[in-house]
Amino acid sequence: MTLADEAINWYDTHARDLPWRQPETTPWGVLVSEVMLQQTPVVRVEPAWRSWMTRWPTPAALAADPQSEAVRMWGRLGYPRRAMRLHACAGAIVERHGGRVPDDLDQLLALPGVGTYTARAVATFAYGQRHPVVDTNVRRVVSRVVEGRPDAGPATTAADLTAMAELLPQEPARAARASIAFMELGAIVCTARAPKCVDCPFHAVCAWRLTGEPLPAGPSRKPQRYAGTDRQVRGLLLEVLRHATGPVPRQRLDVVWADEVQRARALAGLVEDGLVERFGADFILAGDTPRGEIQTL
């Protein structure tokens, strides 16, 4: 039995019941889930994904609304530029593909904000194609089981794609099943710091376990600090603008963070990134249509 067979058998019994994995989920639903899951845990994504798909079940539905509504709906998922990219992507899908998420890998890669991983994930998980889909979890599993190394390093390489491709069955649908199975194993069993080796279907053959190698001395990626960073300040500013019913004066934004220099830098960054626009002396979410009266303190 191959590693792919073992992974699929394990997945068929132990996979998490996630909404974007249901048979009725559209390719658009898969695309939205993949964008939301970038650098964000499943527990935070699931309710956001359900709300998003209820409001915008198709690319055309999202494209018909202004970009500001996508940013507003994104809430506190983090990295709100992803919401902007999804909105731009929806518009491109409507304009270029009649509202249907394309199944061709090159066409997926040509969509705004869709990179190599996301394009392969959609082609594989939405359309059952045979592509190596490699994220941090997959690289860790392959590195340990096949190469005997505790960690694959901080970034995906061409060698990672080749290594995964060699493990996939030839039949496309089964290869797609294997891809999600390897990913799930890395997410809930072969974890970075506390792997559950006794629960792993590769327990008897894992090269890393058999060599007795310890876990790496430190994380392969330096944890990103959030408290006190510009990211935190940007999030606080966006929170005010998302809930505003009209243009927000600078004084209202000034109260969210005491450090004037950092606050001004964060606000300028939001404007530069296209998330926020100036409205006279005030501010609104980019693409918003001002509603009601200008807020006052």
Side-chain angles (χ1 to χ4, degrees), residues 127-188:
Y127 291 111
Q129 297 177 12
R130 186 185 187 277
H131 299 287
V133 183
V134 179
D135 69 351
T136 301
N137 293 315
V138 172
R139 288 191 297 109
R140 186 169 54 252
V141 171
V142 175
S143 176
R144 289 176 176 175
V145 175
V146 178
E147 301 168 6
R149 296 186 293 122
D151 196 273
T156 300
T157 67
D160 294 321
L161 294 173
T162 299
M164 187 60 198
E166 291 174 352
L167 295 176
L168 295 178
Q170 289 304 309
E171 199 275 315
R174 190 158 181 82
R177 190 75 169 171
S179 290
I180 191 63
F182 276 98
M183 192 172 294
E184 188 77 339
L185 268 169
I188 66 177

Side-chain angles (χ1 to χ4, degrees), residues 14-200:
H14 300 286
R16 290 171 293 180
D17 183 20
L18 301 177
W20 46 85
R21 292 178 178 170
Q22 300 307 310
E24 65 273 15
T25 301
T26 63
W28 170 242
V30 173
L31 174 56
V32 171
S33 74
E34 290 298 337
V35 174
M36 286 187 169
L37 285 165
Q38 294 167 14
Q39 299 176 285
T40 308
V42 167
V43 68
R44 293 180 59 200
V45 168
E46 185 168 352
W49 183 89
R50 292 183 185 278
S51 297
W52 188 284
M53 293 304 298
T54 296
R55 180 168 180 178
W56 297 306
T58 65
L62 175 57
D65 273 346
Q67 170 191 285
S68 57
E69 287 303 299
V71 175
R72 186 169 280 114
M73 191 74 167
W74 197 256
R76 301 302 297 272
L77 276 182
Y79 302 99
R81 277 178 289 184
R82 290 181 293 168
M84 295 171 57
R85 290 196 292 267
L86 258 179
H87 187 270
C89 185
I93 290 170
V94 171
E95 293 173 8
R96 304 174 193 173
H97 306 289
R100 177 184 180 274
V101 176
D103 58 6
D104 178 77
L105 185 60
D106 289 336
Q107 291 180 340
L108 285 165
L109 284 167
L111 294 173
V114 174
T116 299
Y117 167 79
T118 302
R120 290 175 180 273
V122 172
T124 299
F125 303 145
Y127 291 111
Q129 297 177 12
R130 186 185 187 277
H131 299 287
V133 183
V134 179
D135 69 351
T136 301
N137 293 315
V138 172
R139 288 191 297 109
R140 186 169 54 252
V141 171
V142 175
S143 176
R144 289 176 176 175
V145 175
V146 178
E147 301 168 6
R149 296 186 293 122
D151 196 273
T156 300
T157 67
D160 294 321
L161 294 173
T162 299
M164 187 60 198
E166 291 174 352
L167 295 176
L168 295 178
Q170 289 304 309
E171 199 275 315
R174 190 158 181 82
R177 190 75 169 171
S179 290
I180 191 63
F182 276 98
M183 192 172 294
E184 188 77 339
L185 268 169
I188 66 177
V189 173
C190 191
T191 57
R193 303 302 301 174
K196 305 176 183 69
C197 294
V198 295
D199 298 329
C200 181

